Amino acid sequence: MSEEKVISVDQTTLQMLDKAKNEGLETAWDRKVAQKAACGFGSAGVCCRNCTMGPCRVSPVPGKGAERGICGATADVIVARNFARMVAGGAAAHADHGRSIVLELLHASPNGAIQVKDEKKLKKVAARFGIETEGRDVYDVAHELAQAGLRDFGRQEGHIVLPPTVPAKRKEIWEKLDIVPRGFDREVVAIMHSTHIGCMADAEAILKMGLRCGLADGWLGSYMATEFSDIMFGTPHSRPTEASLGVLEHNQVNIVLHGHEPVLSEMIVAAAEMPEMIELAKSQGADGINLCGMCCTANEATMRHGVKLAGNFMQQELAVITGAVDALVVDVQCIFPALAKLSESYHTKFITTSPKARITGATHMEMDEAAPLKTGIAVVKEAIMNFKNRDKSKVMIPEAKTKAEVGYSTEEILNKLDGVVNSHIGPMQSTKPLADVIVAGVIRGAAGVVGCNNPKTVHDEGHLEVIKGLIKNDIIVVTTGCAAQAAAKAGLLTKEAKELAGPGLKKVCELVDIPPVLHMGSCVDISRILELVGMTANQLGVDISDLPVVGIAPEYMSEKAISIGNYVVASGIDTWLGVVPPVTGGPEVVDILTNRIEEWVGAKFFVETDPHKTVEQIVNRVNEKRKKLGI
Amino acid sequence: MNLFQTVFTGSKQALAAAEGLVAKAVEEKGRDCKVAFPDTAYSLPVIYAATGKKITTVAELEGALDIVRSLIVEEEMLDKLLNSGLATAVAAEIVEAAKYVLSDAPYAAPCAGFVSDPIIRSLGVPLVTGDIPGVAVVLGECPDAESAAKVIKDYQSKGLLTFLVGKVIDQAIEANVKMGLELRVIPLGYDVTSVIHVVTVAIRAALIFGGVKPGNLAEVLQYCSDRVPAFVNAFGPLSELVVSAGAGAIALGFPVVTDQTVTEVPTLLLTQKDYDKVVKTSLEARKIKIKITEIPIPVAFAAAFEGERIRKND
């Protein structure tokens, strides 16, 4: 770890890294250094391993060195294929997440661990799938809805059921480009097929497949994951919580939930609230059970239960290094395999629960799908019984924690907006107030700041600088994923943060009684952003690409982020990437993604590693869109 | 044109109008000529509240044009928009002051023009006690006298103080709305700029009752927003000038309800095309709640009719 380079803007992160260093422990930042300079071919996307004639690597500089792989694939073809496979990887992750949730709804029962909590939302979603709800048993409707949802994952003919929030003009654009998704799994398979050796060798066509697969993610996989999670676990409403590694407690059983699928966190929240569990914790000498979250499971649990946010992606190892985590419970996605070895240095139980993500060295307690609460109870017990093994001499919990307000689902945003609607004018439960302030120019636009952490950037700096820059320019920010946690830790998810906003946004925050940065949930909950933007476009009778709306992933790292970027752009929203994707070796691919794609879908990618320049570009672009729309 | 550009355009028109009238005053009366509104200790109240300076001569009035210019910054951010609205208010006050320079009696019945300090002091108590639950500023022109009268009489019956600006004055007269200070319906003038005479009522309330120091503009605006329950009804086609004056009202915390299709801003700038709902919409927008004890009698009953004189012919 080099001394001079700033690693993070988060003080608790720096404190824990010092502790790690003193104890001779390795973190992702050390492994990043150990990797030395990354391979230029891979970084530019011009390395192909899709068959055993290779690996091939072609020159990222046109006209120089090897221009074609053994099969004859050009740099652009290799780059486009690699990029498409990233989309497929990301979409597949969200697909499987969505599928689990739909299957849970299929197994929901009135007396089971999983029930229908939000009947109103069930009816709304069922209606959009054309399912009769009138006078029917709630669980019959739920099961029929689950079946309908599952059909869209494996659909072989026709197209998926698009939500009504897709504006008509947008749908036409997709139809014309032939990128309306068919079945979700089919789109992933199609990419894996076409990127096989000797198949698709046209950058433009491959990238279009990526857009179609991305759309299946955003408007189907993630969309359903969110809707169905709300149906079973409740639609989020605004509530307070706290964030930062300082939320760990000295004399409580600290359970850190990490991963993605809400069923794990829901079951553990339910188990940890049981009086007998609390009694058990007390019998072990603890004051109680302290649930905290990391990454998107944290977001799911905090949106619905106010579970505290311990930290984001790059902090997962640091939680263990506090020495105060009795159990680190994970399911799927974005879990460092390094946690298995790291937790050996402490008493921390590292527990995996999903058959989809086994990690060597972890304690595996597989989630029993037929009786998920049982697993939840077993995991909580395991954590409680581990409390006594905590070595207090090795514990160091940072003092810092920050208040945050979370729970801004689309429904909650509409409820808040109702507060500024004149009851003699109406309408209620609409995005009209939001559309009005955007049209009037009181707020200039809206931005979704999403995505991961990446050791290539200063931890959290990109998120925070972009968010602060945007709100200062009267652009309201909605946030999800690890970006949301960065904002929470920095105090941006509070009503007081309106003081950092420009005059217009500040006024809106006061009138609507909201923070300037709204936490909308986990990464699959980006579908909430699509829903909100789609509703606003429909409200104004325009297409999404007409709106002064942008997406930004300042510190993204995962393939999921690439898939998200693809569906956001395909939905007509300009998207800024704060980390350069591995496409620079393909001039045509770069031209398509950052230029020509705009002719297709009315939006494009911007790659900018400087957060301040990003803000400047966004403000300019937002003003351009406003001008075009005449507002 | 977007809302910001409309407001900026209106403010620049107001500035041009003020420049024209001040030039006329300079030419006709000279720079040393006295400038004052009748019966006030607050000179030109808007300018006094904003800068803490009293304008006494035409030369100083000419200098005050710089205040207007400094408030017009054509950048599309809310604070600039509100300042531009205030620029229109200052320009309107300059125009109105120039009228009083150019003529000894610029206003004649039924129009009241400038509202004197004693009247404001007399309104102070009922405003504080809530006896006057709100101040309605009705300006422009309704589609017909009947709808104008309906709105005005409704405010009157609820005890609100209503100021009229523009053609709506004639419509009120046509529909036999009884007017006068005692009846709480006060026609100000036919020009848009005469709306400033109600703005100065709010501003002097901040100086007189709020004890706000002149020159502390932010506090004046806060007082008006918190304590003066005023709002604006703008009827008929809206010129850029009227819209920019509306931005001034919003800067004072007064919502604007119009019958025109405009770029709405929730709680601040609202379209209500149904005249039967204008009053309810406006009261809700300004959060005015009226304690009503309805007595089933065949004539309107309200404090606003207390000073009514029954003439022989009635």
Side-chain angles (χ1 to χ4, degrees), chain B residues 25-82:
Chain B
V26 170
E27 196 185 298
E28 288 184 18
K29 303 286 178 179
R31 286 198 163 84
D32 294 333
C33 179
K34 289 263 168 290
V35 174
F37 284 127
D39 287 326
T40 180
Y42 301 92
S43 176
L44 271 49
V46 176
I47 295 172
Y48 185 49
T51 65
K53 289 196 187 97
K54 292 189 174 182
I55 303 290
T56 56
T57 64
V58 169
E60 286 170 8
L61 191 64
E62 196 178 19
L65 289 167
D66 282 337
I67 302 170
V68 182
R69 293 183 192 112
S70 72
L71 286 169
I72 305 175
V73 178
E74 293 181 64
E75 191 188 310
E76 293 192 3
M77 293 287 268
L78 183 68
D79 54 338
K80 307 294 187 292
L81 177 103
L82 298 178

Side-chain angles (χ1 to χ4, degrees), chain A residues 218-505:
Chain A
W219 295 93
L220 175 70
S222 293
Y223 213 96
M224 267 206 266
T226 297
E227 288 182 323
F228 288 32
S229 294
D230 285 354
I231 289 169
M232 290 181 283
F233 308 125
T235 300
H237 293 290
S238 61
R239 62 182 80 241
T241 190
E242 288 176 326
S244 160
L245 283 170
V247 301
L248 294 168
E249 294 285 348
H250 279 284
N251 205 40
Q252 293 198 32
V253 177
N254 289 314
I255 302 177
V256 174
L257 307 169
H258 175 24
H260 281 79
E261 292 182 8
V263 68
L264 171 71
S265 53
E266 285 294 326
M267 293 307 118
I268 289 181
V269 168
E273 282 172 357
M274 290 175 158
E276 57 265 42
M277 288 295 129
I278 295 166
E279 266 322 298
L280 184 64
K282 286 184 177 162
S283 75
Q284 295 298 307
D287 293 341
I289 303 169
N290 182 40
L291 283 189
C292 313
M294 298 206 105
C295 282
C296 283
T297 289
N299 287 326
E300 298 277 359
T302 204
M303 291 284 282
R304 297 197 181 86
H305 303 284
V307 165
K308 288 171 269 184
L309 301 165
N312 50 9
F313 177 69
M314 282 300 277
Q315 293 179 291
Q316 53 185 290
E317 291 172 287
L318 309 182
V320 175
I321 291 168
T322 62
V325 176
D326 304 303
L328 175 55
V329 192
V330 303
D331 54 8
V332 293
Q333 300 174 20
C334 306
I335 300 148
F336 282 164
L339 290 168
K341 181 160 181 286
L342 178 69
S343 50
E344 283 171 13
S345 301
Y346 296 91
H347 78 299
T348 306
K349 278 252 172 183
F350 177 46
I351 303 169
T352 53
T353 59
S354 170
K356 296 171 199 163
R358 297 287 301 259
I359 297 172
T360 307
T363 305
H364 188 68
M365 298 175 74
E366 194 156 310
M367 181 60 80
D368 182 347
E369 284 182 4
L373 187 58
K374 252 194 199 160
T375 314
I377 292 169
V379 167
V380 171
K381 258 190 196 157
E382 190 79 16
I384 293 171
M385 299 317 285
N386 194 29
F387 175 74
K388 61 176 183 295
N389 299 326
R390 196 189 291 180
D391 179 352
K392 285 190 179 149
S393 69
K394 286 175 88 176
V395 172
M396 188 182 117
I397 300 172
E399 296 273 308
K401 53 182 168 184
T402 316
K403 287 195 185 321
E405 205 179 292
V406 298
Y408 286 97
S409 59
T410 311
E411 288 82 351
E412 181 68 354
I413 290 173
L414 295 186
N415 289 342
K416 286 281 178 187
L417 291 176
D418 275 356
V420 295
V421 176
N422 193 298
S423 69
H424 305 288
I425 299 177
M428 292 294 167
Q429 291 291 301
S430 90
T431 50
K432 183 171 182 290
L434 175 63
D436 280 348
V437 287
I438 290 177
V439 170
V442 174
I443 60 175
R444 309 300 297 164
V449 182
V450 303
C452 328
N453 288 140
N454 191 320
K456 283 181 181 168
T457 69
V458 179
H459 171 241
D460 283 355
E461 185 188 53
H463 291 313
L464 299 182
E465 291 306 307
V466 164
I467 293 174
K468 286 194 266 185
L470 292 175
I471 62 174
K472 199 170 185 55
N473 281 286
D474 280 345
I475 294 172
I476 192 166
V477 170
V478 295
T479 182
T480 64
C482 287
Q485 288 161 6
K489 288 182 286 169
L492 295 172
L493 302 185
T494 58
K495 282 174 191 158
E496 293 72 38
K498 71 172 193 225
E499 299 302 333
L500 300 172
L505 178 55

Side-chain angles (χ1 to χ4, degrees), chain A residues 4-299:
Chain A
E4 306 86 57
K5 202 183 155 226
V6 182
I7 281 180
S8 173
V9 294
D10 179 88
Q11 287 309 311
T12 66
T13 295
L14 300 178
Q15 281 173 38
M16 285 306 121
L17 285 175
D18 273 347
K19 185 168 188 277
K21 202 175 166 192
N22 292 337
E23 295 176 10
L25 299 172
E26 166 198 286
T27 67
W29 282 283
D30 300 308
R31 294 189 292 274
K32 167 87 171 79
V33 173
Q35 286 290 311
K36 304 225 172 80
C39 170
F41 293 96
S43 301
V46 289
C47 162
C48 177
R49 292 181 300 103
N50 292 8
C51 77
T52 60
M53 295 194 291
C56 293
R57 53 188 207 184
V58 300
S59 167
V61 184
K64 261 188 161 182
E67 289 193 45
R68 287 174 181 267
I70 295 169
C71 69
T74 60
D76 280 310
V77 167
I78 293 171
V79 168
R81 285 196 309 216
N82 289 342
F83 188 73
R85 283 193 169 199
M86 290 181 88
V87 179
H94 284 150
D96 233 20
H97 176 160
R99 185 187 344 270
S100 304
I101 288 168
V102 178
L103 283 169
E104 280 150 21
L105 186 65
L106 189 65
H107 299 129
S109 64
N111 305 313
I114 298 195
Q115 302 174 353
V116 171
K117 259 197 189 163
D118 190 339
E119 269 184 49
K120 198 174 146 201
K121 187 141 190 175
L122 170 71
K123 285 186 179 157
K124 188 181 135 193
V125 179
R128 85 168 177 85
F129 277 89
I131 295 166
E132 185 59 52
T133 58
E134 201 59 39
R136 290 185 65 195
D137 178 77
V138 167
Y139 286 84
D140 287 346
V141 174
H143 298 154
E144 195 182 332
L145 174 60
Q147 294 287 8
L150 287 174
R151 267 198 298 283
D152 271 357
F153 280 92
R155 185 181 287 283
Q156 302 300 325
E157 288 172 324
H159 296 127
I160 63 165
V161 179
L162 287 171
T165 38
V166 177
K169 284 182 194 164
R170 185 62 14 196
K171 213 173 148 206
E172 269 170 41
I173 287 173
W174 294 346
E175 277 163 2
K176 219 176 104 199
L177 284 172
D178 194 20
I179 57 168
V180 181
R182 298 157 298 179
F184 195 170
D185 295 348
R186 182 172 175 189
E187 298 307 346
V188 177
V189 169
I191 284 182
M192 296 313 285
H193 174 197
S194 292
T195 54
H196 188 276
I197 180 195
C199 210
M200 190 70 97
D202 180 83
E204 191 176 303
I206 300 170
L207 293 178
K208 276 186 186 160
M209 292 186 80
L211 294 178
R212 184 164 59 193
C213 185
L215 287 175
D217 177 352
W219 295 93
L220 175 70
S222 293
Y223 213 96
M224 267 206 266
T226 297
E227 288 182 323
F228 288 32
S229 294
D230 285 354
I231 289 169
M232 290 181 283
F233 308 125
T235 300
H237 293 290
S238 61
R239 62 182 80 241
T241 190
E242 288 176 326
S244 160
L245 283 170
V247 301
L248 294 168
E249 294 285 348
H250 279 284
N251 205 40
Q252 293 198 32
V253 177
N254 289 314
I255 302 177
V256 174
L257 307 169
H258 175 24
H260 281 79
E261 292 182 8
V263 68
L264 171 71
S265 53
E266 285 294 326
M267 293 307 118
I268 289 181
V269 168
E273 282 172 357
M274 290 175 158
E276 57 265 42
M277 288 295 129
I278 295 166
E279 266 322 298
L280 184 64
K282 286 184 177 162
S283 75
Q284 295 298 307
D287 293 341
I289 303 169
N290 182 40
L291 283 189
C292 313
M294 298 206 105
C295 282
C296 283
T297 289
N299 287 326

